[in-house]
Amino acid sequence: MIEARDTGESQASRPDGGQDFWPEDKKDGKDGPGRRAKSKSSSSRSRTPLIIAVVAVVVLAAAGVAGFLVLGGGDEKASGAPGNGARLSPVAYTPQMADKDMAKLAQRSADQRPITQGEAFPGDVKTVAYQKYSFTLAASQLANDCKSVTWGQRLQGDLAKYQCSQIARGAYVSQDRGHVGQFIAINLASQEGAEQIVRDLDPGVGAGFVFPLTAKGAPEFRSGFSAAYAQAYGHYAIVTWVQRAGGAQPASLNEMIDASLAIEKPADFVWGRLELADGTPR
């Protein structure tokens, strides 16, 4: 498992002349590695970043890649759960706990209305884009049985303990079919539960993960390199998970960050709920 964090420094070249996997910060003034904050929208909603940045320098030599695939999980299929893909974990994972601004959504008792399909995946998230990456929503699903769309005894135990009531999943495919993405929203009873699930999803813990949603005719998530970014938003745990189609190694973590920022758009429903909690018209 690779965890990304911002050091504030660009990565130096390796002394052996090889090239490190993590890139240097972008020099063009655009969002560089590790920046997942989006500017305030015209409706003055501010976004809490899912990831603040990139950290470690990792060399993906042939032996190293093999090791990462072990951490990423096998290709065992789920049984009896239509729409589920392979049993996989991301290779790179960045967790973030809830921001203080989410305090009004810390308890589901103050936000009791269930998520609806139309709320999580409205028309404006059918096509999403960030930088050069553009994705189309290939399938979406709202499951009320959290166990049916997850694997791992410990994860499933905590989902039950913290009263998971819904898991929304959206499968995205880039326009060139070179990248696939998963948007995941998990509805827990409390912020404490959401933060515990964010910790459980860390592949280094080995607690389990959410099955990727499959879509007819779309490339499926496979064993190989993938990156996930997870954050607690009040009593919700939000995850964006991306990979190159087929699981190939990306050119840099920037590629994964930019792709994930594109498919983060459905998280807007959380901001809408926060506005309602604040008494601000949407």
Side-chain angles (χ1 to χ4, degrees):
M1 188 273 295
I2 305 164
E3 185 176 359
R5 298 215 182 275
D6 189 7
T7 63
E9 299 174 359
S10 61
Q11 306 297 344
S13 300
R14 286 166 40 205
D16 61 4
Q19 185 173 358
D20 288 325
F21 176 68
W22 307 132
E24 292 187 349
D25 289 352
K26 292 179 181 177
K27 303 297 195 299
D28 57 4
K30 298 180 181 178
D31 289 344
R35 181 174 176 184
R36 290 185 60 83
K38 292 186 179 180
S39 60
K40 291 184 179 180
S41 68
S42 58
S43 62
S44 76
R45 289 179 303 190
S46 63
R47 294 179 180 268
T48 303
L50 284 180
I51 171 180
I52 306 297
V54 171
V55 213
V57 176
V58 179
V59 180
L60 293 183
V65 171
F68 290 141
L69 298 187
V70 172
L71 287 173
D75 225 342
E76 179 185 342
K77 288 286 183 179
S79 60
N84 286 351
R87 176 174 171 162
L88 302 169
S89 294
V91 172
Y93 180 74
T94 300
Q96 190 165 319
M97 298 302 117
D99 186 271
K100 63 181 180 180
D101 293 338
M102 286 287 154
K104 291 188 177 181
L105 288 181
Q107 300 297 325
R108 189 166 61 205
S109 59
D111 177 40
Q112 296 184 32
R113 181 171 53 86
I115 305 168
T116 66
Q117 185 87 6
E119 181 184 18
F121 301 105
D124 65 351
V125 305
K126 304 300 184 185
T127 300
V128 295
Y130 183 76
Q131 301 286 27
K132 66 180 183 180
Y133 297 99
S134 180
F135 287 81
T136 299
L137 184 66
S140 62
Q141 182 193 72
L142 187 58
N144 296 319
D145 179 359
C146 299
K147 187 175 182 179
S148 69
V149 298
T150 59
W151 61 268
Q153 184 175 359
R154 177 172 168 183
L155 173 61
Q156 291 176 342
D158 280 342
L159 288 169
K161 176 181 178 180
Y162 294 103
Q163 301 174 50
C164 176
S165 61
Q166 298 174 293
I167 297 182
R169 297 181 296 167
Y172 281 91
V173 182
S174 65
Q175 288 189 350
D176 64 1
R177 298 179 69 85
H179 293 80
V180 289
Q182 296 279 319
F183 173 85
I184 301 163
I186 307 174
N187 188 348
L188 288 308
S190 65
Q191 180 172 301
E192 177 189 6
E195 292 184 340
Q196 182 57 50
I197 296 306
V198 167
R199 287 190 285 268
D200 284 349
L201 294 174
D202 185 333
V205 173
F209 212 77
V210 180
F211 285 112
L213 180 67
T214 59
K216 186 176 180 180
E220 295 186 16
F221 262 66
R222 301 192 179 278
S223 59
F225 192 96
S226 65
Y229 309 93
Q231 183 172 343
Y233 285 89
H235 67 93
Y236 300 99
I238 303 293
V239 183
T240 56
W241 186 16
V242 292
Q243 81 170 181
R244 281 192 174 185
Q249 176 187 330
S252 73
L253 195 59
N254 282 343
E255 180 182 330
M256 297 289 95
I257 292 171
D258 288 352
S260 73
L261 281 166
I263 65 165
E264 187 184 349
K265 175 66 174 172
D268 278 354
F269 86 87
V270 176
W271 297 97
R273 285 178 176 244
L274 182 61
E275 288 177 350
L276 290 174
D278 284 335
T280 305
R282 224 182 145 177

